[in-house]
Amino acid sequence: MKKTLLFILLISSVSLYSLDTYHEITAGYYGDLGATMALRFENPVADFPFFLQARGGYIYQFDSGNATEARHIFINDNTGGNIEKYGESYLVAVDLGWKWKDMDSFTIEFILSGLWNHYMAHYAFIGNNEAFTVTSSPFGIGTGANIRVPMGNTGSFFLLKGGVEYFFKARLDAHGTYFYTPDGEDDRPRNSYTYEDADAAVNQPEFRGSLQIGFLYPIG
């Protein structure tokens, strides 16, 4: 058994070593404002059009939802104070890509993604001594397209990419005191609030579009 595992590991290492490796950096519109980095592996053989990449990103959200309703649902019934609110997402994705049309001057690529997103909606009531964060960590799926254009003979590329993502409903939590789940069976609600109330108040990601520009350059 040990010999078999060692053989599989050796073959995998050799296969990975034979792939072309690229680093991708992009920024732009991502639901609001976001930046991503990726590590891409693709086969240098021209007639093998598929590639794989691991991607991570950060997204800043200007409007995290209805702060007053979120306060009532997760914290207390108080009102007052000057509201400050914003959201943040930390994204992890695995992308399977297909180089659909590979021309001398550009390449068109299609991508399917599996996603995990850790979301934080921040709310503060300045002058009323209240600040809290609502979190969720949904899984999702995505699809998109890239246009990559060679940058001379450097082996690097300019990228224009866009896509859309869908995230499945996930538990909404704040301070671990009150939380709401999509199935509604193990809620620890405040008063008679429901998951639907919490989901309506907090702008956790559901559908999210993106349009970014960036660079793809070889490693090594």
Side-chain angles (χ1 to χ4, degrees), residues 79-90:
T79 58
N82 295 319
I83 295 173
E84 291 185 358
K85 58 180 180 177
Y86 65 96
E88 297 178 286
S89 285
Y90 292 92

Side-chain angles (χ1 to χ4, degrees), residues 61 64-67 69-75 86-89 117-125 131-138 170-176 178-180 195 197-199 201-205:
Q61 182 187 55
S64 56
N66 189 319
E69 285 301 308
R71 181 177 186 174
H72 293 167
I73 292 167
F74 288 97
I75 306 298
Y86 65 96
E88 297 178 286
S89 285
N117 188 91
H118 180 63
Y119 173 69
M120 297 172 289
H122 303 285
Y123 305 100
F125 294 78
F132 63 97
T133 300
V134 179
T135 64
S136 69
S137 298
R171 165 173 156 166
L172 287 161
D173 201 337
H175 295 328
Y178 302 109
F179 62 82
Y180 302 85
Y195 179 84
D197 297 324
D199 188 38
V202 177
N203 284 344
Q204 68 169 327

